[in-house]
Amino acid sequence: MGSESRSRGGPPGGGLRDPQAFEEFYRRHVDAVTRFVARRVSDPHTVADLTADVFLAVVDSADGYRPGRGSEAAWLFGIGRNVVRAEYRRSARQAGLGARIAGRRLLDDDDIARLEEKLDAERGGRRALELLADLPESERAVLELVAVDQLTVSEAAAALGTTQVAARVRLHRARRKLRGADELAGEQREFRQDEHHKLVARRRQDERTRQGERTGHAEHARQAESRTTTIAYAGGES
């Protein structure tokens, strides 16, 4: 995340309602916010909608920004989390897609291509977030912002409206649980590999047994044929 995105100067409060001030603020942060959203949704239209929703929410809550609590990026990501979570809840409640499609902003081919590039670039981030899904919400939130969105612990605390001490405790717990999960997964992988090796060994042994049986049958048949030939030859001589 660039130094501009991490600016602590802060948005000019109610000045964001001034078109020029808002445009400057928007240009300074739109790429970071778009990438933040692209790590959490996989549809370009939804990325565009939610990015716009974040900046609309910024205008409404600009007076609440406190530079001493964190960078502009931390404040924006906190708003972004709320916007994305609201979208998740809306999607869960909505039976069909008609309402969202009807309200979507029109995107031209260049817009879609640009957003798809960002979505492709953030595929690893989306995968990382999926791996955190089983953590408790409070712990997952801190780890997401620190490990995936690259905020500092203090910035993550500001984004989540909590103290740095609480954020550090949650981060420690989340990392400890992930290490435990990794160890369990490693044990499960070793067990599966061991079982696989045993299965392969049994199959090879079975195949050797069947091969031996086929060889034995062939030898028995050869000997029987030899005896028959010998008997026939002996009968011919008599």
Side-chain angles (χ1 to χ4, degrees):
M1 187 178 298
S3 59
E4 289 186 351
S5 245
R6 286 196 179 278
S7 168
R8 285 181 177 271
L16 281 183
R17 295 179 179 85
D18 173 74
Q20 183 175 352
F22 178 81
E23 182 176 355
E24 291 175 358
F25 183 82
Y26 176 86
R27 290 182 181 278
R28 189 159 68 245
H29 296 292
V30 63
D31 186 65
V33 172
T34 302
R35 286 186 284 109
F36 175 90
V37 175
R39 286 191 285 272
R40 289 160 171 82
V41 300
S42 57
D43 174 72
H45 291 86
T46 306
V47 172
D49 283 348
L50 298 186
T51 299
D53 289 347
V54 169
F55 284 99
L56 288 175
V58 160
V59 173
D60 292 336
S61 58
D63 291 336
Y65 176 72
R66 298 292 181 268
R69 294 201 61 192
S71 65
E72 292 177 4
W75 181 63
L76 278 166
F77 285 3
I79 293 173
R81 276 183 54 80
N82 292 334
V83 168
V84 172
R85 290 174 66 187
E87 169 65 11
Y88 288 162
R89 290 193 296 269
R90 185 206 60 78
S91 296
R93 290 194 304 267
Q94 187 172 302
L97 299 177
R100 187 55 164 179
I101 292 173
R104 279 180 168 168
R105 293 161 179 82
L106 296 178
L107 301 177
D108 60 28
D109 291 342
D110 289 341
D111 290 332
I112 293 175
R114 177 178 55 81
L115 290 170
E116 286 179 340
E117 287 178 2
K118 282 187 168 56
L119 284 166
D120 186 62
E122 298 300 336
R123 183 184 295 116
R126 290 194 299 279
R127 175 57 181 156
L129 292 177
E130 289 173 3
L131 296 175
L132 308 181
D134 292 335
L135 290 172
E137 167 62 22
S138 61
E139 296 170 10
R140 184 177 71 248
V142 177
L143 190 56
E144 280 183 12
L145 292 172
V146 173
V148 181
D149 297 312
Q150 300 297 298
L151 294 185
T152 65
V153 176
S154 60
E155 287 175 330
L160 298 171
T162 189
T163 66
Q164 291 187 35
V165 172
R168 290 185 187 281
V169 169
R170 293 171 188 174
L171 184 63
H172 174 71
R173 289 174 178 169
R175 285 173 169 165
R176 185 177 58 192
K177 288 176 181 177
L178 284 181
R179 282 195 296 271
D182 285 343
E183 291 172 1
L184 177 60
E187 292 174 359
Q188 291 173 337
R189 282 194 298 272
E190 290 177 4
F191 176 78
R192 286 194 296 268
Q193 289 171 356
D194 185 53
E195 290 299 304
H196 175 71
H197 292 156
K198 289 179 181 178
L199 178 61
V200 169
R202 284 197 300 270
R203 287 176 175 173
R204 288 176 177 171
Q205 181 59 45
D206 291 345
E207 180 59 29
R208 285 195 293 268
T209 300
R210 287 193 294 269
Q211 182 64 36
E213 291 174 349
R214 287 194 293 268
T215 301
H217 291 325
E219 179 62 22
H220 179 74
R222 187 189 65 76
Q223 292 175 357
E225 182 179 357
S226 178
R227 286 195 297 270
T228 300
T229 300
T230 301
I231 292 171
Y233 179 74
E237 284 186 338
S238 63

